[in-house]
């Protein structure tokens, strides 16, 4: 398993020498900043109104859920657009340039190659997301108390959602030599999964339930509210394992396809 | 040292290699020679551990490649034909990456990389991005990565393809030097290159070994050989294998036939390619023998052209080979 580390490092460095990596990170952080500002302003407006009118609903207005919860929930949707940009190079680029041929002849197992690459994607996810936690500091400066447990659950949920998107993206990147195709396929699939939840709203009971269960966004929804549901946790872990396994199989097809 | 036993490789319906067997001795420099599409790269990739053969096996010092691929890959340095490297890494970074993968102990990495950089003449470009290097330098980086970890087996696929004549001369010099200390397998479609560098060559065509031996002898022999195509009907459907074997015996026993390859076998007919000495026309003798053994002879023709084709494709003259690169 010692081959994971060099692959991990090399992929991580490469991403930040490509325009996609830099673009994806900047775009994500910029839009995240806009979201945060927006939710914070909305919250202050609402709480001011509530104070003026002695509005009863203020009891239920929880800052952590209103600001951080909505913030993390929306980051999940934002990441739908960013994930394909991060994962599209993963295996595609190495297939196209032929460097994968070298990797296969080094003393590495397929598992080490795929695991190294996947872990590097996860590290990119962390690098993308962690700076947004400085907003907790902003809230603190403003003198607002935050329930860290709830935020923690949201962070876990976001990572699981992101890791699922990236595993799916990595799988598509192992199928083609064309980055645009790889990004396009994962984007379309993720969009489809997003729409699942809407479609579920129009359908009668048993169907809507099944569709919701299959939707990553439905499964993500409770995390930012501070609820870690075992079935949602299982959903994400299974999805990650599935796409990881499919990627491994796709990499093995060289044995009979050449 | 390396033993290749009855290797077949099939991609879907396409059979690329048909039962190749050969041995490579320790320290030998072996060339795989053949036109494009002969199966050289497929054979080389199997030897380098890129993919396993469909049938047959490769062993190195009696260790089966299929059973311990990781252990054996550590002993092999490989340079692919299309030297594809990470263009966004610097030369030194890339070599560092390779030395980590090949598990060179941390303390020795720097020294190892330095040695390979000097050996392959990369001092002046060590800090540059690989994507910005000329083809000749990239080839050198390709060689350097293969040499990391001092593997005792070096496999080079078309090491001089796409280089200009000056670069070709430099790379060949380097290869000759490397071949002095280790087992080296290289593929090429340029005959003089093989005779220049290799102690022994295998000539492949359509996935089969059609000749092997000392390159100078082979070159002479090839120039004086012709190919005869023989199509024979089989008598019974029950034991066709036995009949084919019998036919092979009969054909092999004809004086002047140097080697034969069975190409197709279907609808109760079988086709052989016979390689014979150019100057005697053996057709009448061959037909007499086949009919004498009781088989219907359906077709016989000389195909000197196709062998010339092979010549042309392997590039017999050096001048022609280098011209095409200019």
């Amino acid at each position: 398993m010692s081959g994971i580390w060099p692959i991990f490092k090399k992929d991580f460095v490469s991403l930040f020498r490509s325009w996609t990596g830099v673009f994806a990170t900047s775009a994500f952080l910029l839009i995240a900043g806009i979201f945060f500002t927006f939710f914070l302003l909305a919250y202050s407006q609402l709480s001011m109104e509530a104070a003026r009118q002695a509005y009863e609903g203020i009891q239920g207005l929880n800052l952590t859920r209103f600001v951080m919860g909505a913030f993390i929930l929306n980051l999940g949707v934002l990441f739908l657009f960013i994930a394909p940009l991060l994962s599209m190079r993963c295996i595609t680029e190495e297939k196209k340039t032929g460097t994968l041929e070298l990797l296969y002849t080094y003393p590495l197992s397929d598992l080490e190659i795929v695991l190294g690459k996947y872990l590097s994607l996860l590290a990119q996810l962390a690098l993308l997301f962690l700076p947004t936690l400085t907003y907790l500091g902003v809230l603190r400066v403003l003198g607002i108390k935050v329930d860290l447990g709830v935020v923690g659950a949201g962070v876990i949920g976001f990572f699981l959602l992101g890791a699922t998107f990236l595993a799916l993206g990595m799988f598509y990147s192992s199928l083609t030599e064309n980055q645009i195709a790889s990004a396009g396929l994962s984007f379309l699939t993720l969009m489809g999964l997003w729409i699942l939840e809407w479609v579920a709203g129009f359908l009668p009971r048993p169907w809507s339930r099944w569709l919701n269960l299959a939707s990553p966004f439905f499964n993500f929804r409770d995390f930012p509210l501070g609820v870690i549901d075992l079935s949602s946790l299982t959903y994400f872990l299974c999805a990650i394992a599935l796409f990881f396994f499919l990627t491994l199989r796709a990499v093995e097809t060289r044995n009979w396809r050449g | 040292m390396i033993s290749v036993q009855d290797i077949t490789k099939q991609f879907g319906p396409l059979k690329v290699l048909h039962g190749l067997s050969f041995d490579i001795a320790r320290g030998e420099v072996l060339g795989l020679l053949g036109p494009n599409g002969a199966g050289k790269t497929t054979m080389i990739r199997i030897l380098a551990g890129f993919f396993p053969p469909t049938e047959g096996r490769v062993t190195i010092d009696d260790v089966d490649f299929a059973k311990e691929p990781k252990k054996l890959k550590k002993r092999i340095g490989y340079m692919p034909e299309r030297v594809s490297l990470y263009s966004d890494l610097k030369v030194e970074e890339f070599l560092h990456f390779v030395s980590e993968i090949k598990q060179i102990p941390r303390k020795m990495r720097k020294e190892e990389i330095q040695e390979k950089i000097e050996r392959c003449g990369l001092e002046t470009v060590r800090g540059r991005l690989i994507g910005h290097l000329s083809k000749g330098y990239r080839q050198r980086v390709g060689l350097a990565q293969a040499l990391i970890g001092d593997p005792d087996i070096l496999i080079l696929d078309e090491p001089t393809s796409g280089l200009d004549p000056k670069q070709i001369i430099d790379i060949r010099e380097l290869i000759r030097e490397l071949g002095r200390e280790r087992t080296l397998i290289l593929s090429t479609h340029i005959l003089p290159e093989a005779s220049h560098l290799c102690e022994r060559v295998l000539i492949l065509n359509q996935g089969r070994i059609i000749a092997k031996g000392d390159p100078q002898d082979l070159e002479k022999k090839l120039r004086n050989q012709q190919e005869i195509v023989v199509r024979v009907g089989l008598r019974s459907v029950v034991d066709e294998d036995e009949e084919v074997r019998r036919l092979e015996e009969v054909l092999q026993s004809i004086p002047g036939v140097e080697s034969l390859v069975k190409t197709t076998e279907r609808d109760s007919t079988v086709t052989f390619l016979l390689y014979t000495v150019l100057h005697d026309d053996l057709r009448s003798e061959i037909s007499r023998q086949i009919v004498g053994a009781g088989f219907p002879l359906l077709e016989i023709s000389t195909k000197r052209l196709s062998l010339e084709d092979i010549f042309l494709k392997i590039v017999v003259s050096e001048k022609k080979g280098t011209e095409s690169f200019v």
Side-chain angles (χ1 to χ4, degrees):
Chain A
M1 283 293 140
S2 56
I4 296 174
W5 173 239
I7 301 269
F8 168 84
K9 237 178 11 181
K10 192 256 320 155
D11 266 31
F12 195 69
V13 169
S14 297
L15 191 88
F16 287 95
R17 288 197 182 151
S18 72
W19 69 268
T20 37
V22 177
F23 172 77
T25 314
S26 340
F28 182 85
L29 289 177
L30 178 73
I31 299 172
I34 295 172
F35 278 167
F36 181 74
T37 317
F38 174 78
F39 289 124
L40 197 61
L41 287 178
Y43 175 77
S44 69
Q45 210 169 16
L46 205 64
S47 57
M48 250 168 9
E49 252 169 56
R52 207 168 39 223
Q53 300 172 0
Y55 176 50
E56 299 231 328
I58 189 76
Q59 304 301 333
L61 193 62
N62 174 308
L63 173 103
T64 313
R65 287 196 185 150
F66 191 90
V67 180
M68 285 313 276
F71 175 64
I72 292 176
L73 197 63
N74 279 279
L75 286 191
V77 180
L78 173 61
F79 195 64
L80 184 158
F81 297 90
I82 301 292
L85 291 179
L86 292 183
S87 62
M88 70 182 191
R89 282 169 52 92
C90 185
I91 297 176
T92 310
E93 180 73 6
E94 299 224 22
K95 267 181 106 154
K96 198 180 104 198
T97 58
T99 46
L100 209 51
E101 181 175 354
L102 269 183
L103 289 189
Y104 290 152
T105 56
Y106 288 146
L108 289 170
S109 63
D110 289 356
L111 180 68
E112 280 172 302
I113 297 176
V114 176
L115 202 58
K117 287 188 159 293
Y118 186 58
L119 289 177
S120 144
L121 285 177
L122 292 187
Q124 286 154 25
L125 171 67
L127 194 80
L128 206 82
F129 177 73
L130 290 179
T132 64
L133 289 182
T134 52
Y135 296 146
L136 289 176
V138 173
L139 294 179
R140 206 192 168 89
V141 169
L142 291 175
I144 302 172
K145 266 213 188 103
V146 175
D147 183 343
L148 285 178
V150 174
V151 174
V155 171
I156 291 173
F158 178 76
F159 268 94
L160 287 171
L161 184 79
T164 306
F165 288 180
L166 291 174
L168 182 142
M170 178 171 77
F171 168 60
Y172 281 127
S173 86
S174 70
L175 295 183
T176 160
E177 288 185 11
N178 182 333
Q179 288 191 21
I180 307 292
S182 154
L185 281 172
S186 37
F187 180 67
L188 285 178
T189 311
L190 292 178
M191 274 307 239
L193 288 171
W194 192 26
I195 291 169
L196 270 191
E197 213 188 349
W198 295 357
V199 176
F202 296 107
L203 292 176
R205 186 75 172 94
W207 293 106
S208 65
R209 169 133 187 86
W210 287 116
L211 282 191
N212 273 334
L213 282 180
S215 155
F217 292 96
F218 180 82
N219 281 293
F220 172 51
R221 210 159 277 282
D222 282 347
F223 283 93
L225 301 176
V227 182
I228 298 183
D229 181 36
L230 196 63
S231 74
S232 294
L233 197 69
T234 317
Y235 167 87
F236 285 122
L237 294 179
C238 286
I240 293 168
L242 172 73
F243 288 115
F244 190 86
F245 174 74
L246 287 176
T247 310
L248 261 182
R249 296 316 302 258
V251 161
E252 277 167 17
T253 57
R254 71 175 185 280
N255 293 343
W256 46 271
R257 265 163 134 196
Chain B
M1 178 193 200
I2 305 176
S3 163
V4 173
Q5 294 151 32
D6 217 11
I7 291 285
T8 302
K9 184 74 191 176
Q10 200 155 358
F11 298 122
L14 183 71
K15 209 168 185 183
V16 184
L17 296 178
H18 304 257
L20 303 192
S21 298
F22 54 90
D23 289 305
I24 304 166
R26 189 178 304 279
E28 190 178 15
V29 180
L30 177 85
L32 289 178
L33 188 63
N36 291 327
K40 283 173 299 179
T41 295
T42 307
M43 189 60 239
I44 287 262
R45 282 178 161 187
I46 290 172
L47 288 173
F50 176 80
F51 43 40
T54 312
E55 280 164 43
R57 58 188 205 135
V58 177
T59 57
I60 299 179
D61 288 337
D62 297 321
V63 182
D64 193 333
F65 216 123
K67 290 200 182 107
E68 295 196 59
K70 242 178 145 173
K71 190 174 154 196
L72 293 183
K73 280 178 184 177
K74 268 191 209 164
R75 297 182 51 187
I76 295 174
Y78 169 58
M79 181 171 85
E81 176 181 6
R82 203 166 50 123
V83 185
S84 19
L85 308 163
Y86 296 99
S87 49
D88 51 358
L89 292 186
K90 291 174 185 158
V91 173
E92 219 168 341
E93 282 174 338
F94 173 63
L95 294 178
H96 186 83
F97 165 70
V98 177
S99 66
E100 273 183 311
I101 285 187
K102 294 193 180 178
Q103 292 166 32
I104 310 294
R106 189 178 289 274
K107 283 183 199 150
M108 288 154 71
R109 262 178 225 158
K110 222 170 167 182
E111 206 178 308
E112 175 79 14
I113 294 168
Q114 181 58 33
E115 193 205 323
K116 301 308 178 255
I117 284 181
E118 279 170 23
R119 179 112 210 217
C120 299
L122 291 165
E123 289 95 340
T124 50
V125 297
R126 61 192 301 162
R128 287 180 56 189
L129 286 179
I130 294 173
H132 294 169
L133 297 183
S134 70
K135 186 122 210 244
Y137 271 119
R138 250 179 284 166
Q139 208 86 0
R140 283 162 183 273
V141 179
L143 261 181
Q145 63 80 25
L147 287 174
I148 291 229
D150 289 315
D152 55 347
I153 302 164
L154 203 57
I155 302 178
L156 313 174
D157 194 3
E158 300 266 0
T160 59
S161 87
L163 298 183
D164 65 42
K166 163 87 174 63
Q167 292 168 331
I168 290 181
I169 293 167
D170 289 351
I171 287 281
R172 279 188 194 163
E173 195 47 51
L174 199 54
I175 292 171
R176 213 201 329 262
E177 222 180 279
L178 296 171
R180 280 195 203 115
E181 327 153 7
R182 61 201 96 211
T183 311
L184 200 154
I185 303 161
L186 67 97
S187 79
T188 174
H189 63 282
I190 306 170
L191 189 56
E193 180 165 293
S195 22
H196 202 60
L197 296 171
C198 306
E199 293 155 13
R200 192 161 68 101
V201 296
L202 302 177
I203 299 186
L204 296 185
N205 195 27
Q206 293 175 7
R208 295 181 171 83
I209 298 176
I210 57 168
K212 52 181 154 186
D214 179 83
Q216 272 90 18
D217 287 353
L218 269 180
E219 201 175 332
K220 259 184 249 151
K221 234 159 86 180
L222 257 179
R223 285 183 202 282
N224 296 308
Q225 235 183 15
Q226 74 175 345
E227 194 179 69
I228 297 179
V229 182
V230 179
R231 199 153 71 91
V232 184
L234 299 173
R235 289 166 299 189
S236 69
V237 189
V238 193
D239 202 359
E240 288 190 349
D241 287 346
E242 180 54 38
E243 288 186 19
V244 170
R245 241 192 315 278
R246 170 91 189 99
L247 262 171
E248 276 176 349
E249 262 170 43
V250 169
L251 292 172
Q252 217 127 39
S253 67
I254 300 170
V257 172
E258 286 178 339
S259 59
L260 89 165
V261 175
K262 190 183 83 182
T263 54
T264 51
E265 187 182 342
R266 60 160 176 258
D267 305 333
S268 294
T269 67
V270 57
T271 309
F272 292 100
L273 287 181
L274 307 182
Y275 294 95
T276 68
V277 183
L278 180 65
H279 299 297
D280 342 323
D281 190 351
L282 289 175
R283 278 177 297 175
S284 54
E285 179 61 19
I286 291 169
S287 54
R288 213 180 355 259
Q289 291 285 347
I290 291 174
V291 175
F295 290 96
L297 175 64
L298 303 177
E299 187 186 326
I300 186 164
S301 59
T302 51
K303 262 183 77 182
R304 233 179 89 195
L305 251 180
S306 96
L307 199 61
E308 267 167 12
D309 273 352
I310 297 177
F311 279 134
L312 289 176
K313 286 177 195 155
I314 321 180
V315 187
V316 177
S317 89
E318 178 81 282
K319 201 163 157 247
K320 199 167 170 218
T322 45
E323 250 168 21
S324 62
F325 298 125
V326 180

